[in-house]
């Protein structure tokens, strides 16, 4: 069956999952700026065992009109059960299998991108079949070009056979780090090789670049990860809302959530500062602060100062 859109949406921009960073309050803001959102990778077993941290991670806000849960597993029966659980509880609009994580902790357990290696082909086939056939919810996959060697086209063939809803392609091998630029030409090659919708991912830095990529490569959407950090307005065309206003909103969402702790405040606050020149010192200072309100005040003051400087220049 030819699929012409992703979840019935025309060319969505997606907030690409970033473990420990795209926490629910941050996802909420990105959704308010128009992003389609997906949870951070979550162990299928964590959901099956009702692990509070996993359940928290997949909690969805009302702003997230279309929301997916990303699962990490290499066990077909766990995947089937987790899919049933998600569907029964109406937790999300779609389910995604992580086939891209390159972290040794994950790949040493034959999870994430390690499922792309030829030795794991049978296992992958079973996972895709179970994932796509168990649920009425769309089932998608997020892949790399391969683990250490290209396996994109074999994996696309398996996805076609299983009738996957769409494929997000992070255009790097799992063994390549971020210093190697993503190989965007593979988005086009993927599009030419399948009738399944392809979502482009890897090194997309702005709203305009995302829309250019969609029109130039024939992909059906674009996923943005690192460049959305501290910058949720990236999902909206020419958003002029000052960062301080958005930061204040994020903090208000965090305060009403289990994520209002030092770790998350440090990460999110430093992220908001990194878009300004000469902010390295201010970001470093955050690491030495151990009081939540102090971090917030410090970040607010810096953001207001940077904004004032910017206004003077205009
Ligand atoms: C800190 C960090 C955490 C990540 N966590 C996840 C994750 O949980 N699930 C996932 O599919 N990809 C994860 N990724 C990969 C990103 O979603 C994305 O594919 C990658 O960063 C390339 O896109 P970008 O250039 O827009 O960041 C992570 C990347 C980083 C840097």
């Amino acid at each position: 069956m030819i699929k012409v859109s992703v979840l019935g949406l025309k060319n969505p921009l997606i907030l690409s999952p970033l473990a420990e960073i795209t926490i629910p309050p941050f996802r909420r803001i990105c959704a308010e700026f128009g992003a389609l959102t997906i949870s951070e990778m979550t162990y299928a077993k964590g959901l099956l065992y009702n692990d509070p941290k996993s359940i928290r991670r997949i909690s969805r806000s009302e702003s997230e009109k279309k929301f997916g849960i990303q699962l990490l597993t290499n066990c077909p029966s766990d995947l089937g059960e987790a899919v049933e659980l998600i569907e029964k509880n109406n937790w999300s609009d779609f389910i995604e299998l992580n086939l891209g994580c390159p972290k040794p902790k994950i790949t040493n357990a034959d999870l994430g991108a390690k499922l792309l290696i030829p030795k794991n082909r049978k296992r992958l086939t079973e996972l895709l079949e179970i994932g796509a056939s168990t649920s009425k919810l769309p089932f998608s996959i997020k892949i790399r070009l391969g683990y250490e060697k290209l396996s994109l086209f074999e994996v696309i063939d398996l996805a076609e056979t299983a009738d996957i809803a769409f494929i997000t392609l992070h255009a790097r091998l799992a063994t390549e780090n971020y210093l190697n630029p993503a190989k965007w030409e593979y988005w086009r090659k993927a599009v030419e090789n399948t009738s399944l919708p392809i979502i482009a991912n890897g090194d997309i830095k702005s709203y305009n670049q995302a829309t250019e990529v969609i029109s130039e490569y024939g992909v059906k959407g674009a996923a943005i990860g690192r460049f959305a950090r501290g910058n949720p307005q990236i999902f909206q065309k020419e958003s002029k809302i000052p960062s301080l206003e958005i930061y204040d909103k994020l903090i208000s969402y965090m305060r009403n959530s289990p994520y209002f702790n030092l770790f998350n405040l440090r990460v999110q606050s430093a992220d908001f500062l990194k878009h300004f020149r000469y902010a390295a010192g201010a970001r470093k200072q955050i690491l030495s602060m151990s009081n939540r309100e102090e971090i917030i005040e410090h970040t607010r003051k810096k953001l207001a100062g940077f904004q004032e400087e910017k206004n003077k220049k205009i």
Side-chain angles (χ1 to χ4, degrees):
M1 195 207 324
I2 293 184
K3 294 173 179 160
V4 290
S5 73
V6 170
L7 310 165
L9 300 172
K10 192 164 179 281
N11 302 331
L13 298 192
I14 299 175
L15 172 63
S16 203
L18 302 171
E20 311 271 16
I21 296 155
T22 55
I23 53 176
F26 183 73
R27 286 199 329 250
R28 180 172 172 188
I29 300 253
C30 291
E32 288 171 5
F33 279 104
L36 186 159
T37 53
I38 307 179
S39 76
E40 301 157 59
M41 58 186 178
T42 303
Y43 283 99
K45 272 243 182 319
L47 297 184
L48 295 174
Y49 288 147
N50 208 16
D51 163 53
K53 235 177 147 181
S54 306
I55 300 291
R56 223 194 284 160
R57 199 171 285 142
I58 60 153
S59 71
R60 166 197 203 158
S61 71
E62 273 180 24
S63 309
E64 298 177 276
K65 300 283 181 242
K66 287 265 185 200
F67 169 63
I69 293 178
Q70 192 186 73
L71 294 176
L72 197 59
T73 183
N74 59 13
C75 171
S77 59
D78 281 358
L79 178 62
E81 283 177 40
V83 164
E84 276 171 0
L85 184 73
I86 292 168
E87 188 177 20
K88 189 177 94 199
N89 288 293
N90 212 359
W91 278 334
S92 71
D93 302 301
F94 67 101
I95 297 167
E96 179 162 280
L97 180 63
N98 180 311
L99 298 172
C101 184
K103 288 217 163 101
K105 190 179 139 205
I106 303 295
T107 53
N108 288 344
D110 260 355
L111 290 161
K114 205 60 180 291
L115 286 162
L116 300 175
I117 66 171
K119 182 174 84 66
N120 283 331
R121 205 62 93 230
K122 188 165 168 277
R123 177 60 61 102
L124 181 60
T125 309
E126 282 169 16
L127 286 164
L128 299 191
E129 276 171 4
I130 285 243
S133 64
T134 307
S135 158
K136 286 181 214 71
L137 294 176
F139 180 76
S140 63
I141 54 176
K142 179 152 177 280
I143 62 172
R144 296 263 188 153
L145 296 175
Y147 184 70
E148 49 197 354
K149 287 199 189 109
L150 189 74
S151 59
L152 173 66
F153 302 110
E154 290 94 316
V155 173
I156 282 181
D157 282 350
L158 296 184
E160 286 236 349
T161 309
D163 205 19
I164 297 297
F166 62 93
I167 299 173
T168 299
L169 174 58
H170 178 185
R172 281 187 178 88
L173 294 172
T175 48
E176 287 176 315
N177 65 27
Y178 287 108
L179 297 174
N180 300 94
K183 299 184 179 94
W184 289 12
E185 68 275 17
Y186 278 98
W187 295 334
R188 200 189 321 277
K189 291 185 190 174
V191 166
E192 286 166 0
N193 269 275
T194 180
S195 58
L196 300 179
I198 299 291
I199 299 285
N201 175 238
D203 297 350
I204 298 172
K205 295 187 174 64
S206 66
Y207 178 93
N208 285 345
Q209 200 172 41
T211 53
E212 277 163 31
V213 154
I214 289 169
S215 64
E216 278 179 32
Y217 290 84
V219 292
K220 294 284 185 267
I224 304 177
R226 292 165 301 147
F227 298 92
R229 293 183 69 168
N231 187 26
Q233 55 277 53
I234 197 170
F235 295 103
Q236 203 170 68
K237 191 177 178 185
E238 289 165 23
S239 170
K240 295 260 182 332
I241 303 175
S243 291
L244 176 58
E245 216 171 284
I246 302 168
Y247 177 74
D248 281 345
K249 208 176 213 188
L250 174 67
I251 295 301
S252 76
Y253 294 165
M254 284 177 77
R255 278 188 200 280
N256 295 316
S257 82
Y259 292 89
F260 193 60
N261 58 41
L262 263 187
F263 173 79
N264 289 312
L265 270 176
R266 281 184 178 144
V267 170
Q268 298 293 337
S269 301
D271 278 358
F272 268 77
L273 291 177
K274 80 174 171 202
H275 300 283
F276 297 93
R277 284 174 77 187
Y278 311 117
R283 294 178 68 211
K284 216 166 158 193
Q285 265 175 293
I286 288 178
L287 293 178
S288 63
M289 294 177 179
S290 48
N291 176 294
R292 294 180 296 188
E293 299 306 330
E294 193 190 355
I295 293 175
I296 295 168
E297 264 330 289
H298 166 83
T299 308
R300 294 193 75 253
K301 227 194 230 158
K302 293 292 172 193
L303 286 175
F306 289 135
Q307 195 63 48
E308 211 178 289
E309 283 290 306
K310 210 166 151 190
N311 291 344
K312 266 191 223 153
K313 281 184 197 146
I314 292 171

